[in-house]
Structures are given as structure tokens and as C-alpha cells.
Amino acid sequence: MSQLDLSGCRKRKRGERVFKFKVFGERGYPTEFNGSFHENLRALLEFGHVGRCGGAMSSWSFQLEVRRHPSMHLFLFVVEEPIELSLELRCNHCHYIGWGSHMICNKKYHFLLPAKSGSGNYCKSNVIELQGDQGHSLHGVFHPNGFGHLLCIKGSESGSGLPGHQIMDFWDRLCSGLGARKVSLKDVAKNRGMDLRLLHAVAYGKPWFGHWDYVFGRGSYGVSREMYQSAINAIQSTPLNLIIAHHLGFGTNGQNEVQIILPRYQILSSHALITLGDLFHFMLKLKFRIPKESSVADSHYPRIMSDASCRWSPKRVEMAIHVVVEALKRAEFQWVSRQQVRDMARAYVGDTGLLDFVLKSLGNHMVGKYFVRRCLNPVTKVLEYCLEDVSRAFPKQEASNFSLVEAKSKSRNKVSWGQLMRDILYMYKNILISDLNQNVVMSSNNNNGVLANIHLASRVILDSKHLVKEYRGDLETYDEANKWKIHCSVGEGENLTPYHCIVLKSNAMFDELKCEVEKTFRAMYFGLREFEAESVRDYAGPISGSDLVFKTVRPGSKIVFECNKQEGINGKVNVVDCLCGAKDDDGERLVTCDICQVWQHTRCVQIPENDEVPSIFICNACEQDIVRFRSLQ
């Protein structure tokens, strides 16, 4: 079922409740959320506007007020998808994150937040796509057992009316309120072409979703949790002095952009930036402090151009700055008087007013990799200028190297928001993900190894897409209104369902427990629709149906009911045995050998990403067997 026709949904009645977006999902809003996941879900849906989707699926909608002035409303849709209408019985998302052994549930619940805001009529669009996420700001899906997946989240840059972090806050509140067990996601979030899982791992030691406590769930291409953490540690701790040493002498006129970028942010920082992690952490932190300026302020010299007395165009100002810097270079980094600098620049800039403005504004200002110093000579009482190449002293660990300029630079913007974003993008492309085989000539074998390790660590982090968050463990044991809880699972051997909480009276008998277990598990799992609770595993001694449950087991205990009849649980599983070490399908593109029927990653067998999978493929092992067989003939 790829589309949901909501044309049958009637217009919302006057007086029906409108919920506040920023608190929706919190305890008590709109319900207390004090039961199991399935109970909390049913309690939430009681507040929704009921509709039918294509005549086959039930749906509920909630009108959410984002703000009043100007008015902005969104609609949350919850769609109940019976397993009979699913394109596939088994959930691939469960399989990719490592929950492939879970039994198939009877239903899925889709939570959809359309990208377009609404104002009054909540059914302006007749169709909601379940399989495609082009029109959704948010698409999450839950199984009735409390395990779920965040399939899609799109912020303002993707056309949504809300920024991504607000949508993520909303999703996190929903999961917490409903009492979800675990939620997975595939982290493919990008910003300006940069993978956020890599950028934030270098800056913060965790992915962007890590701000909501999502952590490594499962790696692709054989990447383990230990490999992932080691890659983060290695790339964060890479010394900046090795990076700048690698780029010395490369580029136009012996300079490289890296030699300009690193000193720029060292000057801005209040402490020494020593490692790659320090640099990216500071740059991303600066991103939220600098306002997005106009195109004029987005020049290389935002402070100068924003001066109220500046009446010249950015192009003329930048030309004059270049002339002054070149004049100071000819002074061979010696202190020279203001009049001497003015006289040298006067040969190229005829506008003395422009020259005076630039000389006044340029003092203690960064220009590329140079810092223009200005001070009053205590003997002659004349203003003097000196040019300092900060890249020569960078990056020494002593913060005192920059103590003379820090005090004057803290209160001034030395970089615009646009320049900052260009610098982040440059460092990302040329340091984190650049192809080392196409990089500049290495200055030493040691530097070559350092940059190769950065590339390798980046690859490991990028291959760690599947994240997971555990929202709720087992419910606490407590006595409320003479009712106690017990946690039950069903299965045979190692194939068990997750434990589910069953609430009973304190004097309940085992017959009542079996009845509740059968009712709960039949309604939840496709393979247990005819389930009958049999014996209790690992219990020494006979149990009678009239025995009191809580005289036999303690409240809050876990028990397993044996079940030999589990229809529809098993499915065809591809045999994966890849060169990278992967033994299971991780969601990456695979190709199967036509002889041994074993699956391998197309990337690992050197099939280019943009090429089609060949119709006939023989793996390396089978190819070698064929060669040996021919040699025997």
C-alpha cells in the first residue's frame, strides 16, 4: 500500500482541541502516559480526530499550534497499517539494526508530520505517502512492541517550516512519552553537502543525533563499536601542526588555504587550538554566535565594511587593503611609521581619504595569514605598523604567542558567517574526506601516514550510519491500587519475544496470568495469533492454574512461557560473507555470487557506486576454485 487516500476525512469540528506543538508528548499532555507502550499509544489516539485512509487503514490526526503570531499550525497524522497490507512482512529496518530475530508484529503505526503547515482545513491534501518521504518533515514508525524507527526528518533547508532540531525535539518527546523501548535511525543527515555524522563526530565526539542520546547501533562494512570509537578518538586528537606542516609550500605564491584558515581561528579563540577536534569544535561553536550577515558583511573584512564612516565599495576597500599589506611586506616585517606606509601605498591608491580610512581600520586586524599590528611608539609618539605572519608561529601550544592580540580581537568580528561556512566546508573536503591519492605531495612519510589515518578514520565514521536510542528499560515494580506487574516473554529456545509488562491484581491466579499473556501476545505478534500459553520455563515444580502468581514469583520478575507453535516467524535470510568481515545484511548494496550464492558488498568487490550490479557475478573464492580446477585438467 504505497498511498493513503484521506479524502474521506471530514473537516475538523469547531471546538475540537488544538495542541501546543512545543509540549505535545510530555507527561500529562495530552495524557498521563503511565502504562506500557501499547497502552500509552491507545490513550494518545483517543485524543485524535478519527478518519479512514483509503477505506482500509485507520488514521488519527492532531492539530498542533506552533505559534500564534503569525499563526502557524501543523498536523500530526498517525496511521495504523495492518501487516496484511504491508509490502513486506519482515521489517528491513529491524534487520539492519540487529533486531532481525524479533517476531513479526501484527501492525505498524506511522507518525507523519507533513512539511506544509495548515491553517484550518486539515485535509487539504488527499494523499499521504507512506513509502516515499518527499512531503514529510517527519516520518517515524512503531511496532506495537515498542520498537521503532525514525525514517525521515527534514528541517528548514529541505523545505520544512521548522528547523531540524525542533522536529527532533518533538520526536524525542513522543518517544519518551509513549514509553518506547528502542528507536533506530539511519543517519544520512547533511548540511551544505557535509555529512553531519562525520562533522559532529570530529567536533563533539558524537553524531548530530547524539544530542538526543542516539548512539552507535550497528556499523556497515564490518565496522564495530570499538572501531567506531577508535576512529573518533584518532581523528579528534590529530595535531594541527602536522596538518599545517603537510601543506607548507603548496598553493599559489607558496601559500595554501589551510595556512590561512588555521591562524584565523587561532587568533579568534581564547585558548590554543591544538588538535583537529579543537578546531572543528571551535568553528561549529562560532557558527551559532555569528549572525548571518548581508552580502556586504559577508566580505573578508566584515568589521571594516560595517563601519558607519565607510563610503567606498567593498571592491575598492579590498584593493586598498591589499596595497597596504603589500607595502608592509616590502618592509620585511619591520616596524614602519604610518606616514611611510601611506607614502608607499599612495603610488597605487590615489584616494587619500580611502587610504586614511583603511589605515585607521586595519590596525590589529587579520588579513589572510597575516596580522597587521599597530601601536604608538613610546619614544617618537608616532603610530607605527608591522606585519606578522602568524602561520610561522602556529600552532605552538603556548597560548601566550597570541596574548598580545587576543584582548583586542575578542570584541571584534574577524570572520563573517559566510566566510566561516566556507572555511568549514574547505576543511571538511580537503582534510577529512579528500582522496589521499590525489592530495598534494607529502612533505614527509610521517605526514603521509597521519593524513592517511584521517582518511581511514573518516571512512569508518561514515560507515557507522545505524544509530539507536534506548528510551525505557523494564518498568519499575510498584504496588498501585492493589495491582502488581510481571514481565513475560514467549518463545522456544533462544527465539524469544521482548518482555512485556502484564498488570495483575495482587491475588491473581496463574490461569488469569495465562489468559492475559495469550490476549496480549496474540494481538501483538503475527506468528502468535493462535498462541496458547503452556509451561513456564526454568521453574522447578508443577504450577496449578489456581496457584497465586505472586506467591510463586516476586512482583516485577521475568518469566518465559514456552511456545512450540510460532507461525510465520522465519523468513528467507541472505547469506552474507563479505571481504570486509560483515556476516549480515547491513542495508548497503550487495551482489550475490552465481555459484556459491553468497552475498558481498558491491563496494568491497570493486563495483563502482554508480555502476549497475552485473547480471552475472562470480566471487573471488569461486573464481580461484575455477582456476585451480582448470589446472588439474
Side-chain angles (χ1 to χ4, degrees), residues 71-109:
S71 177
M72 180 178 178
H73 291 77
L74 298 175
F75 287 92
L76 170 68
F77 294 93
V78 182
V79 179
E80 183 183 71
E81 179 186 10
I83 193 65
E84 292 85 358
L85 298 180
S86 297
L87 295 177
E88 295 182 1
L89 290 181
R90 186 166 294 280
C91 176
N92 286 330
H93 305 291
C94 282
H95 185 72
Y96 298 151
I97 197 61
W99 306 337
S101 61
H102 288 189
M103 294 186 183
I104 299 170
C105 291
N106 284 321
K107 298 175 182 177
K108 296 178 185 175
Y109 291 92

Side-chain angles (χ1 to χ4, degrees), residues 578-593:
C578 189
L579 302 173
C580 64
K583 302 296 182 183
D584 206 350
D585 187 357
D586 51 20
E588 304 297 337
R589 193 170 70 150
L590 297 169
V591 61
T592 181
C593 175

Side-chain angles (χ1 to χ4, degrees), residues 386-404:
C386 178
L387 200 63
E388 179 181 353
D389 184 353
V390 294
S391 68
R392 293 182 177 180
F394 180 86
K396 291 184 179 179
Q397 297 187 10
E398 295 82 2
S400 60
N401 290 333
F402 303 96
S403 59
L404 295 177

Side-chain angles (χ1 to χ4, degrees), residues 187 195-203 205-207 216 218-220 223-224 227-236 428 432 453-467:
D187 185 1
D195 289 282
L196 293 185
R197 64 185 180 278
L198 175 57
L199 190 64
H200 280 248
V202 178
K206 59 185 179 181
F216 178 94
R218 197 180 198 187
S220 301
V223 172
S224 66
M227 293 169 61
Y228 173 69
Q229 193 58 54
S230 296
I232 292 178
N233 295 339
I235 203 169
Q236 280 190 310
Y428 176 89
L432 299 184
N453 287 338
I454 291 176
H455 184 77
L456 178 61
S458 296
R459 184 73 269 166
V460 170
I461 294 171
L462 288 173
D463 287 341
S464 304
K465 304 174 186 176
H466 297 286
L467 309 179

Side-chain angles (χ1 to χ4, degrees), residues 506-632:
S506 58
N507 60 351
M509 297 181 293
F510 266 95
D511 278 343
E512 296 175 79
L513 173 60
K514 288 183 178 181
C515 183
E516 285 298 317
V517 168
E518 290 174 354
K519 177 182 175 182
T520 299
F521 284 84
R522 285 175 182 175
M524 192 168 297
Y525 293 106
F526 178 73
L528 298 177
R529 290 184 173 182
E530 298 181 9
F531 158 64
E532 294 182 1
E534 298 175 359
S535 60
V536 178
R537 179 189 291 186
D538 299 330
Y539 183 78
I543 296 179
S544 171
S546 59
D547 289 346
L548 296 179
V549 174
F550 296 110
K551 279 194 173 182
T552 306
V553 296
R554 294 170 55 188
S557 297
K558 294 181 178 179
I559 63 174
V560 178
F561 283 90
E562 296 283 359
C563 173
N564 295 323
K565 193 173 184 180
Q566 303 175 13
E567 300 91 340
I569 296 175
N570 297 319
K572 182 180 179 181
V573 178
N574 296 330
V575 177
V576 178
D577 188 6
C578 189
L579 302 173
C580 64
K583 302 296 182 183
D584 206 350
D585 187 357
D586 51 20
E588 304 297 337
R589 193 170 70 150
L590 297 169
V591 61
T592 181
C593 175
D594 289 292
I595 295 178
C596 65
Q597 300 298 306
V598 170
W599 294 78
Q600 295 178 312
H601 295 117
T602 55
R603 190 178 92 182
C604 297
V605 295
Q606 306 300 315
I607 298 175
E609 182 179 352
N610 296 326
D611 288 4
E612 293 184 3
V613 176
S615 56
I616 299 176
F617 173 76
I618 301 175
C619 70
N620 186 62
C622 291
E623 193 174 274
Q624 294 300 320
D625 288 342
I626 293 173
V627 171
R628 284 194 296 268
F629 176 75
R630 287 178 177 174
S631 65
L632 295 175

Side-chain angles (χ1 to χ4, degrees), residues 300-301 303-304 361-367 370-372 414:
H300 291 281
Y301 314 103
R303 179 177 65 85
I304 297 176
S361 305
L362 201 57
N364 298 321
H365 191 90
M366 281 293 297
V367 180
Y370 299 105
F371 188 75
V372 182
K414 302 297 186 190

